[in-house]
Amino acid sequence: MSRSSLCRPMTARLFSLFILVLTGCASTYPEIEPGFESDWQAQPHEAQVYLIPSASEALARRINAIRHAQQSIDITYFSWNQDLSGLMLLNELKLAADRGVQVRIILDDLLVFNETWLAEQAQHQNIALRIFNPFHSRKTGWLGRSVDFERHKAQLDNRLHEKYFNVDGQVMILGGRNIGDNYFGYSQEANFFDLDVVFKGDILQPFMMNYRQLWNSDLLSPIEQLIHTKGNSHYRHFDRAWQRHQDEQPQVLAAISASLADLPTMHFIRAQVTPVFDSLNKVKDNKPYFRSRVEHLMNDAIANAKKAIISTPYLIPTQHRYDIIETLTKQNTQVTLITNSSASNDSAFIPAYFEQYRPELLTMGVDLYEFRDDAINTDHLYHVATYYHNKTFIFDDKLAYIGSSNFDPRSDFLNIEFGVVIDSPAFAEALTHYLLARKADLYWHVTLAPDGSISWHSGEETHDASPNYGGWHKLPDWFIRQLDSEFEL
């Protein structure tokens, strides 16, 4: 099984980078000893939780919290777009820093190239911005990144996937959203159906400790060491981009202003919340710390579950198996599975795997819902394509998971993740409603007939093949099969 970059054309290198880093596939898995992480102890905390009901409110909550910050703002995200939402949040952070608020930002480096507009923020005496596991290439785009990835894959394969927003140690937002118009329903091209939860109370303390550990680790580099800015130009690139997007998107600006003006009162639910963090040792050994800890925490719930809802944008098995789903269905747990349809997936490559495993999942007896590629989310400003991005599970209408982790091999073995398990029937009910209240409009209900045929149903529509998936999709499917024969994907 050759891995030599000299044996593959550049196109294959680029595709493999997208597949291995962006879509969630891992080429190898470490040997996991019996009882791995079995001595890990979970500590529940008292908390107040509020499920943000719309994409626009998710942005408005962040802006409002920044405007009321008095001492500190700590932030971690996998990606931060140079669009109206991303630039607006940076501008709000800069204004907070002008008031004396200490701002710390951690970003993964996969989508950070020579982003001068971003690096300029660190010129402020009250803003520090650090980059996780930086690439060696900076100015050569994806071509340079792909070569860099091939040469240093063992180092660069691990990415920071956490999404964390904490103001003054008083208010915290966790969920699946990164920062950009497409996460808040303001993109004119495509948006994500995603979720965020606001937390208050004792639960913030372990997250602050986790942030401190990451901030002080040698896995981060100050952005000013990676991207050169001219000190005397101050915020020249940022100001230019910010002004341009304001001029070009007055409708979005007006919608954000309206959302801020109409922010409803948050009605919090009291709950016990148990945090689960990854280990930074994963960068060295690629072991599934986070997944194993969640499984240990959920052992009793899984063993006794009568009902489970599992929601994930990507359904990639680990070593060709869906262990938890198999366990649940064998014990006759009623399993509802929510994911993207092949046509709605934001990756061109994930469906090539999912198409292979859908029959197996249906044979297990799961109740499968796939997000329609033409689904309209009413909380988005523009009615354009939407991708499913919710990462959560709900057991027996009581225990719910919220966090950064997808249920796939990349999150298990490579990415640094975290999440919480929320013990509250009231919150579980709100989350179930958020996901499934509009299931007739948003999803295909996929069923397996006794003769082995598969059907997709939504309202009056019925299809006997994956809806709107075919033709041009054959190329990535073919490419996946070629890689699958070379790597253990």
Side-chain angles (χ1 to χ4, degrees), residues 8 44 48 122 126 222 248 278 296 300 308 334 346 359 410 453 480:
R8 285 189 247 159
Q48 299 174 64
N126 292 329
E248 293 175 352
D278 225 328
H296 289 311
D300 290 342
Q334 177 190 337
D346 63 316
R410 168 156 288 280
S453 61
I480 282 286

Side-chain angles (χ1 to χ4, degrees), residues 36-56:
F36 177 68
E37 288 297 284
S38 60
D39 58 349
W40 175 79
Q41 297 295 315
Q43 179 63 49
H45 296 262
E46 295 299 318
Q48 299 174 64
V49 296
Y50 169 77
L51 175 61
I52 299 177
S54 70
S56 57

